[in-house]
C-alpha cells in the first residue's frame, strides 16, 4: 500500500508582517498596551520602540511643540513626566487686542479656541488665526443684558447632532440678566430658552442624566431651579422646560452636578444654603425633589462636585460635604480674611485657591 504524501500546514504569525505595518497598527494602542507589546518578544519590542509610534503619540498630545527627528520615545516620556510633575515649557503667547474697553466677565479656553464675554456681548476666536495673521473674531450679540454664565457641552448631547463627524464639536450655552438662556453653534444662536421670572444667574457645569435625554439646569434670581431638555427642537425652545424646582428663598448663585450620580444636582443660594436635588423624581409637590440640605458660613465663591463629595468655597474656607449624608467631612483650605477664587482638578483630585493678600496655592 502506497503511503499518502505528507501535507505541510502553513501558519502566519504576527511577526511575519513587516515592521512598518505593525508600527502603523500600534499607533492605535494605549500607552499601557504599548508597554505590554514591548515585553512579548524582541521583534515586537523593536516595533513598540519605533519612532513613528512615538511621533504619533507626541503629536496627539502636544501638536504645537517642535519635535526632534530621533529618540522620539525618550522625548515623549520625558515630556509626559514633566507634565505629571507640573513642569511646563514656556507657553505660546499671542496678544489679542480688543477695542471695547469693557472688562472681560467670563472666559473659556477650549484647545485653541477662546470664548469670552463683555457685558451682553460674546466673542469667539481661534489662536491659530492670530498666528497666521488673520482677524478671526466672531461676535454673538443676541443677548440684550449682561451675560452671567457660560458653559461648553458636547454637541452629541443635543438635538443639533447629526453625524459622527460632529462627535468632537461643542456647543456654547450662555445665561443672561435678560431672563434668557441661549445655545450657540457655528456662530449663531440655535435655541433660546425662557422661563425664569428674573435674571438667570448660573448654569449647571455638566448636563444631567444618562443616555440621549440630557437636561440642562439653570438657577435664577427668582430662587428657582429650572430643568431644560436639550434634545427638544425648535428655534425658541418650545416645550424645552421640563420642571421647575422650588425651595431656595434667595437667588441661586452656583450649581454643580454630582460625579457619582448624574441625576443629582447641588445648588447654593446667596444666603449660603445648600440643597441637593434628585432631578429624576416626579411629584406634584414642587419641593419634594430636594433630597438634602445644609449650609456653610460666608458668602459663596464657587462649588464643584467630585464623585460623592461637594466642595464648597465660601467665606474664608473650602469645605467638603458628603452628598450621601450631607455631613461636612473636612475643611480643605482656609484663607484669611477672604477666599476669592477656587478650582478643582477632579482626576487627582487637586484644588487651587486664591485669597486676598495671599498667593495662589495648590493643595
Amino acid at each position: 500500500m502506497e503511503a499518502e504524501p505528507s501535507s505541510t500546514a502553513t501558519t502566519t504569525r504576527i511577526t511575519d508582517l513587516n515592521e512598518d505595518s505593525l508600527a502603523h497598527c500600534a499607533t492605535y494602542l494605549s500607552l499601557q498596551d504599548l508597554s505590554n507589546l514591548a515585553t512579548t518578544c524582541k521583534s515586537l519590542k523593536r516595533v513598540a520602540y519605533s519612532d513613528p509610534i512615538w511621533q504619533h503619540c507626541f503629536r496627539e498630545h502636544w501638536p504645537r511643540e517642535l519635535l526632534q527627528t530621533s529618540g522620539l520615545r525618550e522625548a515623549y516620556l520625558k515630556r509626559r513626566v514633566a507634565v505629571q510633575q507640573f513642569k511646563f515649557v514656556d507657553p505660546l503667547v499671542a496678544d489679542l487686542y480688543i477695542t471695547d474697553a469693557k472688562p472681560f466677565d467670563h472666559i473659556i479656553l477650549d484647545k485653541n479656541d477662546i470664548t469670552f464675554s463683555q457685558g451682553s456681548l460674546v466673542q469667539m476666536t481661534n489662536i491659530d488665526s492670530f498666528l497666521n495673521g488673520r482677524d478671526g473674531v466672531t461676535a454673538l450679540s443676541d443677548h440684550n443684558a449682561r451675560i452671567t454664565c457660560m458653559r461648553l457641552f458636547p454637541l452629541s448631547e443635543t438635538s443639533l447632532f447629526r453625524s459622527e463627524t460632529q462627535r468632537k464639536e461643542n456647543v456654547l450655552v450662555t445665561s443672561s440678566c435678560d431672563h434668557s438662556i441661549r445655545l450657540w453653534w457655528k456662530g449663531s444662536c440655535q435655541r433660546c430658552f425662557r422661563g425664569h421670572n428674573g435674571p438667570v444667574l448660573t448654569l449647571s457645569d455638566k448636563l444631567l442624566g444618562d443616555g440621549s435625554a440630557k437636561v440642562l439646569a439653570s438657577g435664577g434670581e427668582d430662587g428657582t431651579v429650572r430643568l431644560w431638555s436639550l434634545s427638544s427642537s425648535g428655534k425658541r425652545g418650545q416645550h424645552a422646560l421640563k420642571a421647575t424646582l422650588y425651595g431656595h428663598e434667595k437667588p441661586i448663585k452656583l450649581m454643580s452636578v454630582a460625579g457619582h450620580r448624574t441625576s443629582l444636582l447641588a445648588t447654593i443660594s446667596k444666603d449660603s444654603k445648600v440643597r441637593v436635588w434628585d432631578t429624576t423624581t416626579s411629584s406634584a409637590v414642587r419641593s419634594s425633589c430636594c433630597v438634602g440640605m445644609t449650609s456653610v458660613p460666608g458668602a459663596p465663591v464657587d462649588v464643584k462636585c467630585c464623585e460623592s463629595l461637594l466642595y464648597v468655597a465660601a467665606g474664608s474656607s473650602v469645605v467638603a460635604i458628603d452628598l450621601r449624608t450631607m455631613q461636612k467631612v473636612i475643611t480643605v483650605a482656609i484663607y484669611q480674611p477672604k477666599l476669592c477664587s477656587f478650582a478643582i482638578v477632579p482626576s487627582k483630585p487637586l484644588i487651587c485657591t486664591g485669597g486676598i493678600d495671599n498667593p495662589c496655592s495648590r493643595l
Side-chain angles (χ1 to χ4, degrees):
M1 184 176 181
E2 188 177 352
E4 294 183 1
S6 59
S7 59
T8 304
T10 59
T11 303
T12 301
R13 299 184 178 89
I14 189 172
T15 51
D16 293 333
L17 298 173
N18 63 67
E19 289 192 5
D20 289 341
S21 298
L22 289 172
H24 176 74
C25 295
T27 58
Y28 294 94
L29 298 178
S30 66
L31 189 62
Q32 181 62 56
D33 290 336
L34 283 173
S35 299
N36 294 338
L37 181 67
T39 61
T40 55
C41 65
K42 290 183 178 179
S43 59
L44 291 181
K45 181 178 180 179
R46 285 196 304 271
V47 172
Y49 279 30
S50 61
D51 282 347
I53 293 175
W54 298 98
Q55 182 183 41
H56 174 82
C57 292
F58 201 103
R59 291 298 185 203
E60 189 176 47
H61 288 84
W62 307 289
R64 303 191 62 83
E65 294 188 20
L66 294 176
L67 189 58
Q68 59 200 52
T69 57
S70 62
L72 299 180
R73 176 177 174 272
E74 290 73 18
Y76 172 83
L77 295 177
K78 181 179 179 181
R79 185 73 178 89
R80 180 181 172 86
V81 169
V83 170
Q84 295 295 321
Q85 294 177 350
F86 288 95
K87 297 177 181 178
F88 298 99
V89 297
D90 290 338
L92 178 70
V93 176
D95 294 323
L96 175 62
Y97 296 100
I98 303 298
T99 56
D100 194 336
K102 292 180 181 178
F104 288 10
D105 297 311
H106 308 277
I107 186 167
I108 295 178
L109 304 179
D110 180 37
K111 298 178 182 177
N112 290 337
D113 296 321
I114 306 172
T115 304
F116 55 91
S117 69
Q118 293 175 289
S120 62
L121 182 68
V122 177
Q123 298 191 65
M124 307 176 72
T125 187
N126 185 283
I127 198 169
D128 290 329
S129 64
F130 289 95
L131 297 177
N132 296 324
R134 300 192 305 270
D135 183 9
V137 177
T138 300
L140 312 176
S141 56
D142 291 35
H143 282 297
N144 53 39
R146 180 177 62 86
I147 293 168
T148 57
C149 187
M150 299 196 309
R151 304 291 192 195
L152 286 179
F153 299 115
L155 177 69
S156 59
E157 297 180 351
T158 73
S159 60
L160 300 175
F161 183 69
R162 292 292 181 270
S163 67
E164 286 299 317
T165 59
Q166 302 170 335
R167 178 67 63 179
K168 295 183 179 180
E169 296 186 38
N170 292 321
V171 294
L172 173 69
V173 180
T174 58
S175 60
S176 170
C177 289
D178 65 6
H179 305 192
S180 75
I181 300 165
R182 293 182 181 271
L183 185 151
W184 312 83
W185 185 53
K186 290 190 177 298
S188 63
C189 179
Q190 304 291 329
R191 301 284 187 272
C192 180
F193 307 116
R194 294 184 180 275
H196 283 281
N197 300 321
V200 187
L201 301 182
T202 187
L203 301 169
S204 56
D205 53 353
K206 292 186 294 186
L207 297 181
L208 290 145
D210 297 315
S212 59
K214 295 291 186 176
V215 173
L216 169 71
S218 62
E221 194 170 277
D222 56 7
T224 66
V225 175
R226 311 253 174 173
L227 304 180
W228 311 88
S229 170
L230 294 190
S231 61
S232 64
S233 59
K235 179 71 175 178
R236 295 298 168 188
Q238 293 94 336
H239 312 298
L241 182 60
K242 293 177 63 66
T244 301
L245 310 180
Y246 298 84
H248 282 293
E249 298 176 352
K250 298 293 183 180
I252 297 173
K253 298 286 290 183
L254 302 157
M255 52 178 52
S256 183
V257 178
H260 69 303
R261 284 181 58 191
T262 58
S263 64
L264 292 183
L265 176 70
T267 60
I268 184 169
S269 55
K270 191 174 182 179
D271 57 0
S272 299
K273 300 292 179 61
V274 178
R275 284 178 176 261
V276 178
W277 313 84
D278 185 349
T279 58
T280 61
T281 302
S282 176
S283 173
V285 183
R286 295 180 295 182
S287 62
S288 65
C289 295
C290 182
V291 294
M293 294 182 292
T294 188
S295 62
V296 294
V301 174
D302 206 348
V303 297
K304 186 66 178 179
C305 288
C306 180
E307 295 302 327
S308 60
L309 293 180
L310 171 67
Y311 292 88
V312 181
S316 60
S317 64
V318 179
V319 299
I321 300 171
D322 190 332
L323 294 175
R324 297 165 297 187
T325 62
M326 296 307 296
Q327 299 297 312
K328 301 180 183 70
V329 294
I330 189 173
T331 299
V332 294
I334 297 178
Y335 266 89
Q336 296 294 344
K338 181 182 178 182
L339 185 71
C340 293
S341 59
F342 165 77
I344 187 169
V345 182
S347 59
K348 298 297 179 184
L350 297 173
I351 69 169
C352 185
T353 57
I356 293 178
D357 297 328
N358 284 286
C360 240
S361 70
R362 188 174 68 246
L363 305 177

